[in-house]
Amino acid sequence: MPSSPDAKTPPIVAILRGVKPEEILDVAAALVEAGIGAIEVPMNSPDPLVSIGKLCAAFGDQALCGAGTVLSPDVVDQVAGVGGKLIVTPNTDPAVIRHAVGLGLTVMPGFATPSEAFAAVKAGARSLKLFPAGTFGPGHIKAVRDVLPKDVSVYAVGGVGAANLKPWIEAGVSGIGGGGELYRPGYWAQEVSQRAKALVAAWTAEFPS
């Protein structure tokens, strides 16, 4: 994932919570075509490893693909075993981070406080996600960014979307994660496509060439 905002490749992670194996390919195709470069299937989705395996086989060369809501090193192994390259967690667990880094995977742990952010960085993470971002607000991320190493990316996840991107970008966010704004169970691929294109357009509009 990019470490800084870039208009050509919007740093947006699509979060497909609840996606089913029989729909993952159509949904992922819509996202990739819209310009989304990273896709996670949360582990509390139906048969997540089946979906992740299909996702990685079909789109692993076009997007960074993997799992979200990863809570243990064992699950990291399971995701890597089906081809996943991205490990996203809702919390700061150094054991999970170290294990993912040791396998050469991209890991994005969740954090809320500066202490958690620094613990994640110490464990080897170079991309972090403020979660749930909407609870804390852009001011929180700006303050944390001021003290973090400059090469650490900070994404905002939860409550951030096309309608409120500007204050987050002004606060120095590196990228965002899009969940319900992009996909909810029952959304057809066409709707996902429209939503993804709108979010990519909103990000790109903040960085006119």
Side-chain angles (χ1 to χ4, degrees):
M1 284 172 289
S3 60
S4 60
D6 185 290
K8 296 180 180 179
T9 307
I12 299 170
V13 181
I15 304 164
L16 305 183
R17 192 175 309 280
V19 71
K20 297 178 181 178
E22 58 266 29
E23 62 181 333
I24 184 64
L25 295 184
D26 288 342
V27 170
L31 292 167
V32 170
E33 191 273 333
I36 300 293
I39 304 171
E40 66 162 274
V41 176
M43 290 303 295
N44 55 357
S45 302
D47 298 315
L49 293 173
V50 176
S51 291
I52 294 166
K54 295 174 70 172
L55 172 66
C56 295
F59 296 102
D61 61 341
Q62 301 174 64
L64 182 60
C65 303
T69 319
V70 176
L71 301 176
S72 73
D74 286 344
V75 174
V76 173
D77 287 334
Q78 292 170 12
V79 174
V82 296
K85 301 296 184 185
L86 173 65
I87 299 294
V88 183
T89 76
N91 60 339
T92 305
D93 187 330
V96 171
I97 297 168
R98 285 193 294 266
H99 194 64
V101 171
L103 293 177
L105 307 180
T106 297
V107 59
M108 180 185 283
F111 80 94
T113 68
S115 293
E116 290 174 341
F118 276 101
V121 170
K122 185 176 182 180
R126 309 316 293 170
S127 295
L128 310 177
K129 74 170 191 180
L130 176 63
F131 177 78
T135 303
F136 294 94
H140 185 78
I141 213 166
K142 183 179 187 303
V144 174
R145 286 231 58 158
D146 285 345
V147 297
L148 283 174
K150 299 303 181 185
D151 65 337
V152 173
S153 301
V154 181
Y155 283 58
V157 180
V160 183
N164 65 346
L165 275 180
K166 191 174 185 65
W168 292 97
I169 291 172
E170 290 175 344
V173 74
S174 306
I176 64 169
E181 176 144 346
L182 293 175
Y183 173 84
R184 292 184 186 275
Y187 284 3
W188 293 97
Q190 182 177 3
E191 182 170 2
V192 173
S193 174
Q194 293 171 347
R195 289 172 172 272
K197 288 176 180 177
L199 185 54
V200 168
W203 181 276
T204 304
E206 295 296 330
F207 300 94
S209 56

